[in-house]
Amino acid sequence: MKNLLLLCTLLVTSFGFSQEETATDSLTQRNTLGEILITATPVQNQLQRIPAAVAVITAQNLERGDQLSVANEINKIPGIQMQQGALNTSRISIRGLGARSQYSTNRVKAYLEGIPLTTGEGETTLEDLDLSLIQNIEIIKGPASSSYGAGLGGAMLLSVIKPKKPGFSVRSNALAGSYGLFKTGVSGLYADEQTQGFISYNHLESDGFRDNSGYNRNSITAYAKTQLNEVSSLSFFGNYIRLKAYIPSSINATDFREAPQKAAFTWTQARGYESYDKILAGLSYDWQINAQNRWTTSLFTNTRDGYEPRPFDILDENSLAFGIRSNLNSEFSIFQLNAKSSIGVEYFDEHYKAELFENNYESNPGNGSIQGNRFADQEQDRKYLNLFAQIQLQFTERLTGDFGLNYNHSRYILDAILNENGTDNSGTYTYPRIFLPQAGLTYEAFTDKFIYATVARGFSLPTVAETLTPEGAINPEIKPETGVNYELGFKGQWLQKRLYTEVAFYTVQVDNLLVAERVGNDQYVGRNAGKTDHNGLEFFAQYRDYIDENLMLQPYVSVALNDYSFEKFTDRDVDYSGNELTGVADRVINLGLDLSWKSWSFNTNYRHTGSIPLDDANSIYSDSYNVVNLRSDYAFELGKTLDLNVFGGINNLFDADYAAQILPNATGFGGSLPRYYYPGEPINFYLGLNFQF
């Protein structure tokens, strides 16, 4: 509470600071922070002028770590926690939404170059994207944008690098590190006055520090954009990924303390893993109709062919999806007010097929998984339609209003060709049509200092597992989670725009809470079980100063104080109302420093994560922990055409023991202890080289 009062005082007293005249020299221009154009919102605007909590991760930010996972940067954003138990296992929660998901991210909507990364069932996977190709990640916290449909936690928009240097160039990278880590990639880039694009190959492999945690990924990515004429352009994006990653799974408290390198016993015996081939592709047409109207339409498709041997069965699955997203952005006047608007439609259709086979690994010990008889065969069609509209009105020179509405219509069709008990579970379920309003106001109280308030409604669909009964039929009683986000915040620049600060106070009220009910070893079904209350404070500050032409200092701090609880929750006749929400830390604090001098650069980050309730009864908590990472780079030129960057880093500098991910409400079977913990990696090192010519 003292921390909360301190930050409230900082927000109130900050308005009393005197505003200094903006200098015009080149150093001041380079010091400027916060002047970032946000494209994630339907109506584009500068970061500080948007009535919502929006975060931006740039390519330069991603280069502050080992570039294996976006988790390092996401966890620096107040209000967002990305737990990552392995390179192929993670869970992102925003403001506590999605924290109780068992193994994946399912309350956040994500797009890559306009192509949905989120499946038809609502699951989002970021782990297998090569970060060397990412130019920008924009994250809207909470359902503050009306244009992305299902995503109660928020939305993430990712964009790839866009070559600008005229002519042909080659970029390559190589990295090696602890536990058999090896990463390499090569990209060919081209740009001229009308066309820009690249094609890239990337490879990543690691033995992992735990048993049964080998990882191998290959990917090919291509992007191209060409100017068809003065007013229109056509762009293409394609990405192919082949992955095979073994699964160590979670372990119990004893193994977590004494032998964190161990994998779960059954997963070791079965040598469980996941493998898949995945393709994303999209074609986008952009037409500047006139000075006031711009129309953009994207067609996209994605496919996935997966195979996953698990101790309790073997899953053979594939999916094929296609869709369209189209929107018209306009500028006009209404009632003598300047206005900007965006109206559009998104349609998504995914066909999913899964076969389940017996896993006979116990009949032939030492040989891993052995496929047995097929016992279930299901097909699903998942469809949704989003219609969205948003308008921004300039009421006065200082007061701006944003208002939006989204309409969503979602449907599942199940065809159960084969199941264990021989019953026909085929059926169709259409979720109730949902209207999602959003409204926000931004007021420039002083020059470059903005107060905003917003209210928005959002929802998230159940996953496939959550929609089915233990017998494999669609459960018509399952409802989407819905919630309303209320938020008050401040964004401001100080000290000739060297210092940028943000403060946000919010509360999210969630109804029809989806809970995972265990029906077998590592098997779950879902049901609605109550309400949750998410209250919090987020603070972020970043200072940048070019002391001279050669030396730049950039310290930053982020703080999230969370008060998440079950407002009303009864499970199996046990009342958990008033308990803390499972699976999310009560506080996260980040302190960091970026420093560059001539050809050298250095960055370090300290992160404190508070304790996490591991079960709904709050009978057990994970320990709070502190992790320090650092990296140093040296850039130089060889001749006139070859640019090189040599770098190295240390993760978990002080070798902290911590849980990188937890499994909420784990249950022991056959007298075994519950497996709550995914151990974090001990101290580890990496060295790398980037070059371009």
Side-chain angles (χ1 to χ4, degrees):
M1 181 59 67
K2 291 182 179 179
N3 292 334
L4 183 62
L5 292 175
L6 177 62
L7 289 178
C8 293
T9 303
L10 175 62
L11 174 62
V12 174
T13 57
S14 64
F15 289 109
F17 287 12
S18 62
Q19 179 66 23
E20 303 155 5
E21 290 187 11
T22 302
T24 58
D25 61 89
S26 60
L27 281 182
T28 300
Q29 293 299 319
R30 288 195 289 164
N31 287 334
T32 298
L33 290 167
E35 304 290 347
I36 301 173
L37 182 67
I38 299 299
T39 62
T41 52
V43 179
Q44 298 180 10
N45 211 332
Q46 290 179 332
L47 172 65
Q48 65 269 34
R49 296 178 181 271
I50 293 174
V54 182
V56 180
I57 299 173
T58 66
Q60 290 74 25
N61 297 146
L62 294 173
E63 289 172 357
R64 295 191 289 196
D66 53 24
Q67 286 201 306
L68 301 181
S69 167
V70 73
N72 186 54
E73 290 303 313
I74 282 184
N75 284 320
K76 295 175 184 176
I77 300 172
I80 307 180
Q81 295 183 38
M82 182 173 179
Q83 299 182 24
Q84 185 157 29
L87 284 174
N88 60 315
T89 305
S90 71
R91 176 176 60 247
I92 299 173
S93 63
I94 299 181
R95 295 178 170 176
L97 300 165
R100 300 175 78 258
S101 169
Q102 295 299 305
Y103 305 109
S104 61
T105 299
N106 63 5
R107 299 295 184 268
V108 180
K109 198 77 176 286
Y111 294 81
L112 176 62
E113 287 297 319
I115 303 171
L117 290 173
T118 305
T119 67
E121 63 171 327
E123 290 195 353
T124 297
T125 303
L126 298 182
E127 301 94 283
D128 50 16
L129 297 177
D130 196 279
L131 299 188
S132 66
L133 302 177
I134 300 300
Q135 181 64 45
N136 223 37
I137 304 175
E138 298 178 7
I139 305 173
I140 304 173
K141 291 185 276 187
S145 175
S146 60
S147 65
Y148 300 114
L152 183 56
M156 306 177 67
L157 267 68
L158 294 83
S159 60
V160 296
I161 56 176
K162 307 296 191 301
K164 291 183 172 62
K165 184 179 179 181
F168 180 77
S169 60
V170 175
R171 287 173 45 174
S172 186
N173 64 81
L175 179 146
S178 304
Y179 308 112
L181 172 64
F182 178 70
K183 182 179 185 293
T184 187
V186 60
S187 303
L189 304 92
Y190 177 80
D192 60 27
E193 293 182 356
Q194 292 186 315
T195 303
Q196 58 181 184
F198 71 85
I199 185 167
S200 177
Y201 166 77
N202 290 276
H203 171 76
L204 173 62
E205 63 180 80
S206 173
D207 297 331
F209 92 97
R210 296 181 62 195
D211 298 337
N212 204 61
S213 61
Y215 183 94
N216 191 294
R217 185 188 75 212
N218 293 280
S219 63
I220 298 174
T221 307
Y223 170 83
K225 180 178 181 180
T226 185
Q227 199 71 31
L228 299 176
N229 50 48
E230 293 182 355
V231 297
S232 63
S233 63
L234 187 68
S235 60
F236 167 80
F237 174 78
N239 177 241
Y240 167 75
I241 295 170
R242 168 165 285 187
L243 171 78
K244 183 173 183 180
Y246 286 87
I247 300 174
S249 196
S250 54
I251 55 177
N252 61 46
T254 301
D255 289 337
F256 176 67
R257 290 191 303 268
E258 300 176 0
Q261 77 281 357
K262 289 178 61 175
F265 176 77
T266 54
W267 285 87
T268 302
Q269 295 299 304
R271 299 209 65 217
Y273 66 87
E274 66 169 334
S275 64
Y276 54 76
D277 292 275
K278 183 160 63 175
I279 297 174
L280 295 172
L283 194 65
S284 181
Y285 175 74
D286 186 86
W287 179 23
Q288 187 73 51
I289 301 172
N290 52 41
Q292 291 77 36
N293 297 280
R294 182 174 183 173
W295 178 46
T296 303
T297 297
S298 299
L299 300 172
F300 52 81
T301 185
N302 65 66
T303 67
R304 186 180 185 275
D305 184 5
Y307 188 77
E308 184 175 349
R310 308 173 295 195
F312 45 88
D313 63 26
I314 295 177
L315 171 65
D316 190 349
E317 61 179 348
N318 61 74
S319 64
L320 172 63
F322 66 89
I324 182 172
R325 183 178 175 88
S326 183
N327 63 285
L328 175 68
N329 287 75
S330 304
E331 297 184 20
F332 53 94
S333 294
I334 180 172
F335 304 120
Q336 297 183 331
L337 300 177
N338 292 330
K340 297 180 180 179
S341 70
S342 175
I343 58 173
V345 59
E346 178 182 337
Y347 176 75
F348 183 91
D349 192 316
E350 180 179 67
H351 181 77
Y352 173 82
K353 181 177 180 180
E355 295 179 287
L356 295 175
F357 298 86
E358 297 173 348
N359 192 336
N360 296 326
Y361 72 94
E362 293 178 305
S363 65
N364 200 357
N367 290 303
S369 294
I370 300 174
Q371 183 172 307
N373 295 326
R374 185 180 64 169
F375 64 85
D377 189 350
Q378 293 184 348
E379 295 187 27
Q380 280 197 7
D381 282 311
R382 312 159 181 166
K383 309 173 188 289
Y384 68 72
L385 173 69
N386 285 328
L387 303 177
F388 55 89
Q390 188 140 344
I391 187 170
Q392 180 184 97
L393 298 174
Q394 194 71 43
F395 294 116
T396 69
E397 185 179 351
R398 293 182 177 271
L399 180 62
T400 305
D402 284 78
F403 308 93
L405 182 66
N406 177 279
Y407 164 81
N408 181 274
H409 180 199
S410 299
R411 182 174 64 166
Y412 287 170
I413 302 173
L414 174 66
D415 186 5
I417 301 171
L418 176 68
N419 54 56
E420 288 182 285
N421 55 21
T423 59
D424 183 3
N425 291 323
S426 301
T428 299
Y429 185 65
T430 300
Y431 288 103
R433 291 164 174 80
I434 296 179
F435 289 90
L436 306 171
Q438 174 262 329
L441 294 173
T442 303
Y443 179 69
E444 188 174 11
F446 302 94
T447 303
D448 296 321
K449 297 171 180 63
F450 299 82
I451 304 170
Y452 73 89
T454 187
V455 58
R457 184 172 187 246
F459 82 108
S460 289
L461 291 173
T463 65
V464 170
E466 290 170 333
T467 62
L468 302 180
T469 66
E471 293 75 31
I474 287 181
N475 180 2
E477 303 301 322
I478 289 290
K479 301 175 182 178
E481 280 186 355
T482 59
V484 180
N485 180 83
Y486 304 89
E487 186 171 340
L488 176 67
F490 168 79
K491 305 176 186 179
Q493 298 183 93
W494 316 88
L495 306 176
Q496 297 180 343
K497 299 187 178 182
R498 288 182 174 89
L499 174 64
Y500 178 76
T501 60
E502 288 185 2
V503 182
F505 304 89
Y506 65 88
T507 180
V508 186
Q509 309 299 314
V510 179
D511 290 320
N512 295 319
L513 174 70
L514 282 164
V515 301
E517 180 180 347
R518 184 185 290 264
V519 295
N521 190 15
D522 292 325
Q523 293 177 296
Y524 302 83
V525 296
R527 58 190 182 84
N528 300 107
K531 300 180 179 180
T532 54
D533 189 11
H534 304 243
N535 304 307
L537 179 148
E538 299 165 357
F539 174 76
F540 174 78
Q542 178 175 281
Y543 177 80
R544 180 188 297 161
D545 193 2
Y546 281 83
I547 297 175
D548 58 34
E549 291 292 333
N550 296 314
L551 179 61
M552 186 276 287
L553 295 173
Q554 183 171 278
Y556 60 89
V557 57
S558 71
V559 178
L561 303 178
N562 308 319
D563 181 13
Y564 305 151
S565 61
F566 296 109
E567 179 182 340
K568 181 181 179 182
F569 178 30
T570 301
D571 188 13
R572 296 180 181 178
D573 298 325
V574 179
D575 188 358
Y576 298 113
S577 302
N579 286 5
E580 293 181 67
L581 183 68
T582 319
V584 63
D586 60 347
R587 65 189 180 276
V588 179
I589 301 171
N590 277 274
L591 301 173
L593 173 65
D594 297 340
L595 182 151
S596 65
W597 180 71
K598 294 184 178 181
S599 298
W600 287 96
S601 63
F602 171 83
N603 73 80
T604 185
N605 173 257
Y606 160 82
R607 183 173 82 252
H608 168 79
T609 301
S611 59
I612 300 175
L614 300 182
D615 64 0
D616 296 336
N618 293 174
S619 64
I620 183 172
Y621 286 72
S622 69
D623 293 331
S624 62
Y625 64 87
N626 305 286
V627 172
V628 176
N629 300 326
L630 58 84
R631 168 173 161 162
S632 183
D633 294 60
Y634 179 69
F636 59 98
E637 297 180 357
L638 286 181
K640 297 181 179 180
T641 59
L642 184 59
D643 298 325
L644 293 98
N645 181 54
V646 180
F647 62 92
I650 305 174
N651 294 326
N652 195 4
L653 178 64
F654 298 107
D655 201 21
D657 296 323
Y658 69 100
Q661 185 171 339
I662 63 96
L663 180 63
N665 294 307
T667 304
F669 282 85
S672 61
L673 295 173
R675 296 190 286 110
Y676 288 111
Y677 304 95
Y678 291 82
E681 238 180 27
I683 183 172
N684 59 93
F685 311 85
Y686 60 90
L687 291 171
L689 171 68
N690 298 328
F691 68 84
Q692 180 170 341
F693 62 87

